[in-house]
Structure formats: structure tokens, C-alpha cells
């Protein structure tokens, strides 16, 4: 019998040579996606801690998983005024507030936490679908309320896309026309929107019911002490509310439409002997603060786990939402807008922001966007940074005392030509522009991408069932993890503040 072992050897050599040669073929792209490069050595090549091949040589090295340089203009920032001292492994908040080092952006919030025992410390968290359904903010709120007190889930829209899967509250609504900033083709009027980027117009008769959920942090979120309704009244409006499905109470009638709205503020009083005390002062909302879209609020103070609101009459009325809070402690409002890069915040009328601020002044405003901005094909985000810089100025004008914290975009992964999941090109470039934006506008910045582990971190979270398989969004388990990172860095900042001021 003829021995054919040499035929097998030569066939193997030919296949090996062809596969090796295919590695050096030009890159192929289909619909913007790089096809995986044929690399029979991939399992034995040495990789660095980010999963990239070390010292790979090829002519088209500007592509694929070789890190590209970031536009140098994007990373030229002002000198950091203050960086918190942090434990090993923690990514610090960078504070760009004042070159003289007198004012530090986060100081107002840290100072406010010392007053949480006798007043509400209000936090607004603006973001995209990353925080939709109270993901992340649910856990951050609970952690802060456990430390500093407080109750309730904060601001709740009359109707929103995440109502079906939000875990902190369940809602039902009937008889409303809903308008959101991300649905401009459906009759949305930017001049009518509230702080959440939405507004709701009742028919002749409408109802809204919200029930606190007991499955998550029951000691904190299964009840509230105060319910507040935010609205702009029309002629003949009547609002009645029922707590715990008990007796209905009238919150607003058409006869009140001509009354001047007021708000209360807790102010610090320092006596001649340096004794510090606090008192509540009632202010009228001035006409220039009310604007064309005068926002009013009415409150119902009662221990409650559910609230039912019925609305009748009031042609031309607009409603914005209902807040469930405690009498003191932490209040954290989730303002998510699916599909937004955050620019919609700049379209909210300044008069509306000021009117809302007079009713619900914030001590900390968090701005967290980027998922809908980053692109694998884009490196220059200067225009976006300028737009969001205008948003920061817009919010500052209405909340001049509030601390503002820019949270960078998170990791977002794509499968590269090596077959492995890596951070999508464009993410790090966008983050560098977000950091520069914070520097230019003298606010604080926290690099979430680095805090969660940098390159490929969202893929690693997906392996732990903390993120979705789109390698972009976290789930509720991942939200608890990210909330813990942010809580820890905030508490570390508070410790640094206490060490400096006490």
C-alpha cells in the first residue's frame, strides 16, 4: 500500500500558508463593521492588560485595536484646582471650579449634607437611557437616604416610556395627552416643557395613580411623607388627591388661579455670638420668575404609600409630574430622556427653570450623557461640547448655588477585527471632550469609564449578568454596582471636605 503521509504534510503546509497570508489581506468592511481578521496565532499572542496584541506590526496600524491618538486640543484643560485624596483603586472627582482654590464646585453639596437632618437635600440626575427606569439612581438614592435620611422616589412624570419597568413606583394614568422632547414630530412645544423635558395636558377629566413598591428598599421607598404636584393652571381647574385610597382632599380649585404662588426656603442665621440656627422664610414667586409658563405646586403632607390624583376642567392646564419625598433628608430626581445627548436641556425656557428652582432648588445637579453621541467613526466632539457647555450655563443661571457634576460616558463595546470585545472607537475621545467641557465651565468631573474598569469593562459586566448583551446598557444589577462606585466617591469627597473645613 502506498504511503501518503507526505501528501498530508504538504496539504497542511498549503492550508497554513494560505491562512497566514490571509492575515495580510487589506481590511474588509461591510456596512461600517470591520470583518474579523484571519489570525491563526491569536490564541498564543501576548496581550497587554487591555487585551491588545503587544508589538503587532502591520501597515494599516491606525485601524483595528491599536489605540488612536486623541485630538490634542481635546485634552488641553485648565489646571485642576482640587482632586480628592482617594483610596487605591478609586477614581477621584476632579474639581475645576476656581483657579484661586477658594470655591470648589462640590462644596455646596457636601455642606448641604450636613443640613440633611432638618431639610431636604435635593439632587437632580439628568441622563439618557442609561438611567431609564430609575436604574442606577434607584440604588444611589437608597444608599444616600440610608446614610442621611429621606423617603420616597422623588419626581415622577405623569406618563413615560419606562413606567412599565420602573421598580421604585408603579403608575397608572388615564385621560392625558403626553408630550416629550424626544418626540418632536408629535406636537411637542419646547416652550411648554417642564424640567423633565415633558408636559401633560389633561382632557376634561383625567387621573393619575402612583404606588410605592415594597420590593426594593422598603424602609425607604415604600412610603413618603409629602406628595407635591407641579402644574400650570388653566381656568376652571380642579385637583383632588387621595392618599392611601382614603378620603379625597382638594389641592387646587379655579378660584386659586389668581393667587400669587409662594415657596419656602430654609436659611442659615448666625447670631452675634456665632451661634448658628435655621429658620423657614416664605417668598412670593415674582412675575419675572414665573415667566409665561408659571409653574405652581401643591402639596399633600401625610404618610402615604399610594397617591391618586383626579383632574377636572382647567382648559389650557399643563402638568409636569408628582414628587414623593420626606420632610427632610435626601431627594433624588431621575430625569432620563431616551435617545438624547442632553442638548434638549438647553431648550427648556429659563423662566421655567427658575420657576421650578424656586419650588424645588437643587443642591447637586448631575449631567450624565454620551451613549447617543459617541460614534466609532467620529473623533472630534467640539460642537457637542460647546452645546453641552451652554446647557451647563443654562442650568447654572437657574440654580446658581448648586454643585454641578459631569459624569462621563460609560464604556461601550464593539467586537473588533481580532474577534474580541473592546471599547468602541470614539468613546475615549468623547470623554476627553466632556472633561475639557467641565474644565472650561469650571464644574466637577468624574470619569465613569475609568471607574468601571476602562477598556472592555461593559463586556465584563455582561459576563457577570450586570449589563445587557448590546454591550452598552447596564441592567438593575449593574445599576447597583455603578451606584456603589458613585456613592463611594461622593462619600470620599465628603470626608475630604470635612477634613478641610472642620
Amino acid at each position: 500500500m502506498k504511503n501518503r503521509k507526505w501528501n498530508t504534510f504538504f496539504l497542511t503546509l498549503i492550508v497554513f500558508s494560505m491562512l497566514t497570508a490571509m492575515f495580510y489581506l487589506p481590511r474588509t468592511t461591510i456596512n461600517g463593521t470591520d470583518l474579523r481578521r484571519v489570525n491563526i496565532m491569536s490564541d498564543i499572542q501576548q496581550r497587554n492588560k487591555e487585551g491588545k496584541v503587544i508589538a503587532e506590526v502591520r501597515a494599516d496600524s491606525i485601524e483595528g485595536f491599536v489605540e488612536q491618538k486623541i485630538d490634542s486640543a481635546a485634552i488641553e484643560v485648565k489646571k485642576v484646582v482640587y482632586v480628592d485624596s482617594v483610596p487605591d483603586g478609586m477614581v477621584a472627582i476632579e474639581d475645576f471650579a476656581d483657579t484661586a482654590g477658594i470655591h470648589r464646585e462640590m462644596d455646596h453639596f457636601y455642606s448641604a449634607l450636613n443640613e440633611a437632618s432638618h431639610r431636604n437635600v435635593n439632587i437632580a440626575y439628568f441622563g439618557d437611557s442609561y438611567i431609564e427606569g430609575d436604574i442606577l439612581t434607584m440604588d444611589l438614592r437608597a444608599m444616600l437616604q440610608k446614610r442621611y435620611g429621606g423617603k420616597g422616589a422623588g419626581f415622577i412624570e405623569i406618563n413615560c416610556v419606562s413606567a412599565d419597568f420602573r421598580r421604585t413606583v408603579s403608575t397608572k394614568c388615564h385621560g392625558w395627552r403626553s408630550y416629550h422632547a424626544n418626540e418632536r414630530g408629535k406636537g411637542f412645544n419646547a416652550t411648554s416643557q417642564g424640567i423633565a423635558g415633558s408636559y401633560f395636558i389633561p382632557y376634561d377629566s383625567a387621573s393619575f395613580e402612583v404606588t410605592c413598591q415594597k420590593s426594593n428598599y422598603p424602609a425607604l421607598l415604600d412610603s413618603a411623607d409629602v406628595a407635591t404636584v407641579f402644574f400650570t393652571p388653566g381656568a376652571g381647574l380642579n385637583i383632588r388627591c387621595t392618599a392611601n385610597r382614603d378620603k379625597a382632599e382638594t389641592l387646587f380649585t379655579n378660584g386659586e388661579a389668581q393667587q400669587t404662588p409662594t415657596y419656602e426656603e430654609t436659611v442659615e442665621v448666625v447670631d452675634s455670638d456665632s451661634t448658628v440656627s435655621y429658620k423657614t422664610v416664605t417668598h412670593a414667586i415674582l412675575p419675572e420668575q414665573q415667566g409665561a409658563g408659571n409653574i405652581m405646586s401643591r402639596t399633600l403632607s401625610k404618610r402615604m404609600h399610594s397617591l391618586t390624583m383626579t383632574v377636572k376642567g382647567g382648559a389650557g392646564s399643563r402638568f409636569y409630574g408628582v414628587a414623593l419625598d420626606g420632610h427632610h433628608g435626601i431627594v433624588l430626581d431621575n430625569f432620563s430622556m431616551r435617545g438624547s445627548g442632553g442638548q434638549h436641556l438647553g431648550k427648556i425656557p429659563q423662566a421655567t427653570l427658575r420657576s421650578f428652582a424656586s419650588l424645588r432648588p437643587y443642591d447637586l445637579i448631575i449631567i450624565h450623557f454620551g451613549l447617543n453621541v459617541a460614534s466609532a467613526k467620529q473623533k472630534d466632539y467640539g460642537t457637542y461640547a460647546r452645546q453641552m457647555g451652554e446647557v451647563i450655563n443654562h442650568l447654572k443661571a437657574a440654580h446658581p448655588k448648586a454643585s454641578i457634576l459631569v459624569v462621563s460616558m460609560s464604556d461601550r463595546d464593539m467586537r473588533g477585527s481580532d474577534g474580541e470585545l473592546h471599547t468602541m472607537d470614539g468613546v475615549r475621545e468623547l470623554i476627553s471632550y466632556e472633561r475639557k467641557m467641565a474644565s472650561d465651565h469650571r464644574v466637577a468631573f468624574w470619569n465613569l469609564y475609568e471607574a468601571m474598569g476602562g477598556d472592555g469593562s461593559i463586556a465584563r459586566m455582561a459576563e457577570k449578568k450586570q449589563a445587557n448583551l448590546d454591550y452598552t446598557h447596564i441592567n438593575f444589577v449593574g445599576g447597583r454596582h455603578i451606584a456603589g462606585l458613585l456613592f463611594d466617591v461622593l462619600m470620599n469627597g465628603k470626608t475630604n471636605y470635612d477634613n478641610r473645613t472642620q
Side-chain angles (χ1 to χ4, degrees):
M1 186 175 182
K2 189 175 181 179
N3 191 331
R4 298 182 180 274
K5 63 181 180 180
W6 287 107
N7 290 359
T8 302
F9 171 77
F10 284 120
L11 178 61
T12 303
L13 181 62
I14 291 170
V15 172
F16 177 82
S17 300
M18 290 178 63
L19 291 175
T20 302
M22 289 177 69
F23 175 80
Y24 295 97
L25 291 175
R27 287 192 176 278
T28 303
T29 301
I30 298 179
N31 293 329
T33 300
D34 288 337
L35 294 185
R36 179 176 177 176
R37 179 185 292 278
V38 177
N39 183 5
I40 62 173
M41 306 295 290
S42 62
D43 288 338
I44 61 174
Q45 283 175 317
Q46 186 179 3
R47 297 174 182 270
N48 63 18
K49 64 181 180 180
E50 293 182 342
K52 298 178 182 178
V53 176
I54 295 176
E56 182 187 14
V57 179
R58 60 175 186 265
D60 57 343
S61 61
I62 62 171
E63 295 288 337
F65 43 78
V66 172
E67 185 174 342
Q68 295 185 336
K69 291 183 178 180
I70 299 171
D71 178 4
S72 61
I75 56 176
E76 292 176 0
V77 299
K78 296 181 177 68
K79 181 181 178 182
V80 179
V81 173
Y82 180 73
V83 177
D84 288 334
S85 299
V86 298
D88 290 341
M90 179 181 289
V91 175
I93 290 175
E94 299 175 88
D95 203 320
F96 296 100
D98 191 309
T99 55
I102 299 172
H103 165 68
R104 292 174 181 170
E105 182 65 18
M106 295 297 292
D107 280 4
H108 173 79
F109 173 63
Y110 296 145
S111 175
L113 290 176
N114 293 330
E115 304 170 5
S117 62
H118 58 269
R119 75 168 178 94
N120 283 330
V121 176
N122 297 326
I123 303 170
Y125 201 124
F126 293 99
D128 48 32
S129 56
Y130 199 78
I131 63 167
E132 193 173 75
D134 221 2
I135 292 176
L136 191 162
T137 50
M138 172 181 77
D139 295 277
L140 180 61
R141 181 188 301 113
M143 293 172 187
L144 288 168
Q145 287 182 345
K146 185 177 181 179
R147 176 72 63 89
Y148 294 101
K151 292 181 180 178
F155 188 91
I156 303 149
E157 293 178 90
I158 300 297
N159 188 20
C160 67
V161 295
S162 62
D164 291 339
F165 61 88
R166 180 169 180 165
R167 293 185 177 182
T168 42
V169 295
S170 62
T171 60
K172 298 177 182 179
C173 62
H174 176 73
W176 302 88
R177 294 191 296 271
S178 302
Y179 300 91
H180 296 84
N182 59 355
E183 298 177 336
R184 294 184 177 276
K186 300 182 179 180
F188 174 81
N189 183 349
T191 62
S192 298
Q193 66 183 313
I195 194 169
S198 59
Y199 60 98
F200 309 91
I201 297 178
Y203 291 101
D204 290 340
S205 180
S207 64
F208 171 72
E209 181 178 355
V210 55
T211 303
C212 303
Q213 296 298 293
K214 295 184 178 182
S215 58
N216 295 285
Y217 314 106
L220 304 170
L221 298 178
D222 70 340
S223 64
D225 293 328
V226 181
T228 307
V229 181
F230 297 92
F231 61 100
T232 296
L237 177 65
N238 183 277
I239 304 174
R240 291 173 66 81
C241 286
T242 302
N244 305 324
R245 298 180 176 86
D246 200 354
K247 182 180 178 181
E249 299 182 37
T250 299
L251 285 192
F252 185 89
T253 61
N254 58 354
E256 293 186 74
Q258 302 302 316
Q259 293 183 6
T260 301
T262 61
Y263 71 98
E264 293 183 346
E265 178 184 25
T266 301
V267 297
E268 182 180 284
V269 179
V270 180
D271 296 334
S272 57
D273 60 353
S274 299
T275 301
V276 178
S277 60
Y278 299 89
K279 69 176 182 178
T280 300
V281 180
T282 301
H283 302 279
I285 301 178
L286 303 176
E288 59 267 25
Q289 294 175 308
Q290 296 174 21
N294 161 32
I295 297 178
M296 303 177 69
S297 69
R298 288 295 182 271
T299 61
L300 178 64
S301 294
K302 185 177 182 179
R303 181 71 180 271
M304 68 191 81
H305 57 78
S306 70
L307 179 78
T308 302
M309 177 178 68
T310 57
V311 176
K312 292 185 178 180
S317 299
R318 293 192 301 274
F319 284 71
Y320 307 102
V322 174
L324 299 178
D325 307 314
H327 288 301
H328 57 81
I330 299 297
V331 170
L332 195 157
D333 294 337
N334 174 301
F335 295 122
S336 63
M337 181 61 66
R338 178 183 295 182
S340 176
Q343 300 97 320
H344 73 279
L345 297 172
K347 304 294 184 182
I348 302 174
Q350 181 63 210
T352 298
L353 286 177
R354 290 179 182 271
S355 185
F356 199 92
S358 67
L359 302 171
R360 199 172 180 83
Y362 288 110
D363 297 289
L364 173 64
I365 297 175
I366 299 176
I367 302 172
H368 180 181
F369 293 93
L371 289 185
N372 304 292
V373 181
S375 168
K377 300 299 182 182
Q378 185 173 346
K379 307 301 178 187
D380 186 343
Y381 296 93
T383 298
Y384 173 71
R386 287 190 293 273
Q387 292 172 340
M388 290 305 293
E390 293 173 0
V391 167
I392 290 175
N393 291 338
H394 197 52
L395 294 171
K396 272 187 174 182
H399 296 271
K401 295 182 179 180
S403 298
I404 295 182
L405 173 63
V406 175
V407 172
S408 83
M409 180 185 173
S410 57
D411 184 39
R412 179 179 179 181
D413 289 353
M414 293 181 65
R415 197 171 296 279
S417 55
D418 64 342
E420 302 296 330
L421 286 162
H422 297 287
T423 297
M424 184 181 79
D425 286 344
V427 169
R428 285 180 286 264
E429 287 84 350
L430 174 58
I431 292 171
S432 73
Y433 276 94
E434 289 179 321
R435 181 172 181 264
K436 183 176 185 296
M437 175 188 70
S439 169
D440 288 345
H441 294 274
R442 299 183 178 181
V443 296
F445 175 79
W446 185 55
N447 194 330
L448 172 59
Y449 167 78
E450 291 293 342
M452 64 192 292
D455 182 68
S457 54
I458 193 70
R460 293 191 292 273
M461 290 182 66
E463 292 177 356
K464 299 176 183 178
K465 311 299 183 184
Q466 296 176 331
N468 300 334
L469 292 179
D470 62 358
Y471 302 110
T472 300
H473 295 88
I474 54 176
N475 56 28
F476 283 101
V477 178
R480 184 173 298 114
H481 169 66
I482 299 297
L485 297 177
L486 181 51
F487 173 78
D488 287 344
V489 78
L490 288 173
M491 294 302 94
N492 182 77
K494 175 64 164 61
T495 299
N496 276 265
Y497 170 80
D498 290 341
N499 290 338
R500 286 189 286 110
T501 58
Q502 294 180 359

